Amino acid sequence: MEIEHTAYKRCDLIKVKGRLDSASVPEFEERLKQITNSGRYRIVIDLEDLQFISSAGLRALISTQKVCRRYNRGEVVLANVPENIKAALDLAGFTTLFKIFPDVVSAVANV
Amino acid sequence: MFETYVDALMPKYTFPGQYESLAQIAALIRQATQELGLSSLDAYTVEMAVDEACTNIIEHAYGGEGLGEIELEYKIEADSLIIILRDHGKPFNPKKVRPPRRDVPLKRRRNRGLGLYFIHQWMDEVRFDFSEGTNTLTMVKRKR
């Protein structure tokens, strides 16, 4: 797994590549925590180059969403979701909990 | 019917019960799904079911990393991929795992039970057995 982090004025963009499984989720969670611990709660996660996400990865998304949405201070949104991963999000009932944008530009503009 | 799946000629693979093994196991499973000619989505669902099952073995059967091995066998038979996973950890009782609630708001989402839910939703047949100190999980995916 690789993570690219870009801090914009109004939000943070995380591009996660490769596999998000139990081996890589702790590092992914840590990077997200660094962002929320610094008081920033608008996060765009770009999944374009994500090949695989396990339920551990889905749990990391949910726990970050809970932190970000508290007091209506922000939210996590997803961009460029590959079809297979969209199917996993659907089955987990996550598509109602995350806004999904077709590209990063619209996600950053709307988060 | 499940009994017929066990075949002495199935190739066996053994992996250390560590999270680093998951990517290698996934590569092997992708090879198997390609051999059968599954669609991209069906191949993904098998990869995820196996990943969840192996993570459960490490976390729940062994209670942590580096405490035992994961044994994997697979076989392609007609239009089906049969996958058997074995471990020698604590007996697993799937009835004790409550299914996740998918229809509740964010605040009330529980964090557990999702992995097993994916396994059951995405494989055509799933069976858990425990005997003589071995958990055996048999999963079947049929080509559509």
Side-chain angles (χ1 to χ4, degrees):
Chain A
M1 180 200 62
E2 279 178 58
I3 295 172
E4 281 171 19
H5 176 199
T6 312
Y8 292 107
K9 197 170 179 184
R10 64 187 307 272
C11 71
D12 288 82
L13 171 64
I14 288 282
K15 186 170 175 104
V16 56
K17 304 177 183 181
R19 286 177 56 85
L20 254 183
D21 60 18
S22 292
S24 52
V25 162
E27 186 191 341
F28 178 63
E29 270 185 318
E30 188 51 40
R31 295 293 289 268
L32 292 169
K33 262 186 202 150
Q34 282 172 11
I35 295 171
T36 53
N37 286 345
S38 68
R40 294 174 62 91
Y41 304 103
R42 292 173 193 278
I43 302 174
V44 175
I45 303 181
D46 180 1
L47 302 182
E48 186 177 22
D49 296 324
L50 187 65
Q51 283 146 17
F52 178 84
I53 186 165
S54 71
S55 66
L58 296 176
R59 285 196 295 269
L61 292 178
I62 276 284
S63 56
T64 308
Q65 184 69 301
K66 283 181 180 171
V67 170
C68 289
R69 285 228 184 124
R70 199 172 295 154
Y71 317 121
N72 280 327
R73 59 195 174 184
E75 70 177 316
V76 176
V77 302
L78 309 176
N80 290 321
V81 182
E83 268 186 34
N84 292 342
I85 290 174
K86 172 76 166 38
L89 293 171
D90 272 333
L91 186 54
F94 275 32
T95 38
T96 54
L97 304 178
F98 294 89
K99 286 180 194 153
I100 295 177
F101 293 93
D103 52 67
V104 168
V105 173
S106 55
V108 168
N110 289 288
V111 66
Chain B
M1 175 175 187
F2 268 102
E3 276 66 26
T4 62
Y5 297 145
V6 182
D7 183 332
L9 297 176
M10 284 170 85
K12 290 188 174 75
Y13 302 87
T14 303
F15 297 91
Q18 292 169 189
Y19 297 133
E20 266 73 32
S21 300
L22 295 173
Q24 295 166 46
I25 293 169
L28 188 66
I29 292 300
R30 272 199 300 277
Q31 190 186 307
T33 55
Q34 275 170 15
E35 261 177 66
L36 178 59
L38 288 183
S39 70
S40 165
L41 177 60
D42 280 347
Y44 187 84
T45 62
V46 175
E47 184 180 340
M48 190 166 180
V50 172
D51 185 280
E52 299 298 340
C54 292
T55 297
N56 281 346
I57 289 173
I58 297 168
E59 273 178 27
H60 303 298
Y62 291 127
E65 285 190 273
L67 297 170
E69 288 178 329
I70 299 169
E71 295 163 19
L72 187 155
E73 294 172 51
Y74 77 83
K75 186 184 184 182
I76 291 165
E77 206 173 73
D79 63 344
S80 296
L81 172 61
I82 301 145
I83 297 167
I84 298 176
L85 288 167
R86 290 195 180 87
D87 68 75
H88 307 287
K90 277 189 297 191
F92 175 67
N93 182 354
K95 292 194 179 99
K96 284 190 176 166
V97 182
R98 282 191 300 159
R101 297 279 308 273
R102 295 160 59 247
D103 53 345
V104 296
L106 182 65
K107 271 193 291 192
R108 288 173 50 214
R109 290 285 172 132
R110 284 191 304 112
N111 277 337
R112 295 288 158 184
L114 254 188
L116 193 61
Y117 177 75
F118 275 109
I119 292 170
H120 281 292
Q121 292 296 311
W122 270 346
M123 300 303 283
D124 293 304
E125 292 177 45
V126 178
R127 193 172 88 172
F128 291 92
D129 291 301
F130 181 81
S131 79
E132 293 172 10
T134 302
N135 282 305
T136 303
L137 167 59
T138 306
M139 298 186 282
V140 179
K141 184 77 173 185
R142 275 187 278 280
K143 189 175 171 178
R144 269 176 274 274

